[in-house]
Amino acid sequence: MNVLLTCAGRRNYLVRYFRESLGERGVVIAIDANSNAPALQVADRWFVLPPISDSTYMDRLLELCRKNEVRLVVPLNDLELPLLARERSRFERAGIVVLVSSPEVIRRSFDKWEMAQFFTQNGIPVPRTFCSLSEVRRATQAGMLHFPMVVKPRWGTASIGIHFPTDETELEMAYQFTRKQVTRSAIAEASSEDIEHCVIIQEYLTGCEYGLDVVNDLQGRYVTTFIRKKLGMRAGETDRAITCADPELQALGATIGRCIGHIGNLDCDVIRGPGTLGVLDINPRFGGGYPFVHVAGANLPSVLLAWVEGREIDSSWLKYLPGVTGAKYDHVAVVRNSSGACQRRNS
């Protein structure tokens, strides 16, 4: 029961969680385009593959999975999800489960404009969202929208190009600057689908921000929602949080899970204030907030492994203690030997 984590980067904790869940039944394999990625150093096996954009990436990933008898692939990068969604059947024919949703779900989740429209049509609250400056100005003049606002890429990841203009001058500057950032970033190819509408402007909601892990099974059926209140952010990722039991957010997670029909985990950002509730963003993969519910008792890696192996899950794996505050911290992983030579393995 070998597990492979793609684009492992700094996610040492996920390597550890899956290893603990596997026990002696298998190994955890981590891959990345950078041999110095910290998560590679703590995996049972690790390999360097080309970047996702490389035309040989998918073939080499499948070959690596076959050679290492991988049963479960867990993707950890937004930009990789569309590729894996399209190629999932190739892996399935080799007996490999890829934790990725359908191409339609991935496309809709990555496109923040389309997702906002989809959620609105299905009664899920989202900030008012616009796809052009002219629409924003009309809404402002009509009193439907007020400063500050949120400007961000339509196809965004890793908090690239997000700005919070407080007046008309800043709005124009933020909009143009975000367009430039998009063309110079990793999301340039995705944004080329509609470059004239590659930036969205949203209503700025105030209140407390929460992170949800909306869990569906491998057939896309809703199972549960893990909830944490965000206490601090760092580089666009949750840095401190406290676990919560919240009926309103549980109900929201259930609605999202059943409406989207994703596979596995869906990381969801929600803001709630007095009379305000809105879904800010979703990512159908493990997000940076999952560790906060794991340390409070949840064990999604064990759940996923049981589903892949056809075993009954332990209901305790889907439970966690509310009121547990967690904080991330830095640690140093040695990636070079004493001579300074890089410890490198290729697939």
Side-chain angles (χ1 to χ4, degrees):
M1 185 58 212
N2 296 339
V3 176
L4 184 145
L5 307 182
T6 72
C7 302
R10 296 165 57 89
R11 299 173 182 87
N12 298 47
Y13 54 83
L14 277 181
V15 173
R16 186 172 72 253
Y17 296 164
F18 273 98
R19 179 187 286 135
E20 290 170 352
S21 295
L22 275 171
E24 300 300 318
R25 304 198 315 279
V27 298
V28 178
I29 303 164
I31 66 168
D32 201 273
N34 189 335
S35 61
N36 291 339
L40 302 188
Q41 320 311 317
V42 297
D44 296 310
R45 302 175 193 167
W46 62 267
F47 300 91
V48 175
L49 258 64
I52 297 167
S53 57
D54 190 287
S55 61
T56 68
Y57 176 78
M58 203 55 60
D59 290 337
R60 294 183 65 176
L61 176 60
L62 179 56
E63 179 185 8
L64 180 64
C65 289
R66 285 172 169 158
K67 286 182 178 179
N68 287 270
E69 300 180 310
V70 170
R71 288 283 306 283
L72 174 63
V73 174
V74 181
L76 301 175
N77 186 297
D78 292 330
L79 301 178
E80 184 182 27
L81 298 180
L83 303 176
L84 282 171
R86 290 196 299 267
E87 300 287 338
R88 185 172 61 179
S89 60
R90 292 179 62 196
F91 288 80
E92 289 175 343
R93 288 194 294 270
I96 303 162
V97 175
V98 181
L99 196 68
V100 68
S101 301
S102 69
E104 180 184 12
V105 169
I106 297 302
R107 188 197 72 251
R108 183 179 289 147
S109 301
F110 195 33
D111 185 337
K112 300 181 191 304
W113 167 252
E114 184 177 343
M115 180 53 66
Q117 308 313 302
F118 178 75
F119 275 1
T120 299
Q121 293 164 9
N122 287 275
I124 297 172
V126 293
R128 291 187 183 91
T129 304
F130 303 86
C131 219
S132 73
L133 283 178
S134 60
E135 291 176 340
V136 169
R137 289 175 179 133
R138 284 195 294 270
T140 303
Q141 291 168 4
M144 297 171 53
L145 190 64
H146 305 278
F147 289 102
M149 300 176 191
V150 182
V151 175
K152 61 185 178 183
R154 177 175 171 180
W155 292 274
T157 186
S159 296
I160 294 171
I162 298 181
H163 304 283
F164 305 93
T166 60
D167 57 36
E168 179 67 30
T169 301
E170 288 185 5
L171 173 62
E172 177 70 35
M173 293 173 62
Y175 183 82
Q176 298 301 337
F177 186 46
T178 298
R179 282 177 61 96
K180 284 186 175 293
Q181 287 182 288
V182 163
T183 61
R184 299 170 181 172
S185 70
I187 56 176
E189 183 176 350
S191 300
S192 65
E193 181 177 327
D194 188 356
I195 196 65
E196 293 303 314
H197 300 95
C198 66
V199 176
I200 61 172
I201 302 96
Q202 289 185 314
E203 172 187 18
Y204 183 89
L205 299 181
T206 59
C208 295
E209 190 170 347
Y210 294 82
L212 311 183
D213 287 301
V214 181
V215 180
N216 282 6
D217 66 17
L218 299 185
Q219 286 72 49
R221 297 172 299 208
Y222 175 73
V223 176
T224 193
T225 300
F226 303 142
I227 307 166
R228 66 259 172 198
K229 180 180 179 181
K230 300 184 181 185
L231 303 177
M233 300 291 291
R234 183 173 183 267
E237 188 172 284
T238 307
D239 194 54
R240 290 176 289 119
I242 182 170
T243 54
C244 307
D246 189 302
E248 182 181 31
L249 295 180
Q250 278 282 347
L252 177 62
T255 300
I256 291 172
R258 292 176 180 133
C259 184
I260 294 179
H262 62 280
I263 301 297
N265 194 15
L266 181 139
D267 182 65
C268 182
D269 295 329
V270 177
I271 197 157
R272 182 172 62 184
T276 301
L277 181 66
V279 178
L280 303 180
D281 197 16
I282 63 169
N283 294 290
R285 56 167 174 78
F286 270 99
Y290 171 73
F292 297 101
V293 291
H294 193 94
V295 298
N299 196 333
L300 189 51
S302 288
V303 171
L304 295 171
L305 293 174
W307 284 340
V308 171
E309 294 175 302
R311 295 185 288 109
E312 290 291 324
I313 66 170
D314 186 329
S315 61
S316 68
W317 295 337
L318 296 172
K319 299 176 181 177
Y320 61 94
L321 291 173
V324 176
T325 300
K328 293 179 179 176
Y329 64 96
D330 289 332
H331 186 69
V332 176
V334 176
V335 296
R336 297 178 183 274
N337 60 28
S338 57
S339 66
C342 192
Q343 298 174 337
R344 182 185 182 95
R345 286 179 236 178
N346 290 303
S347 62

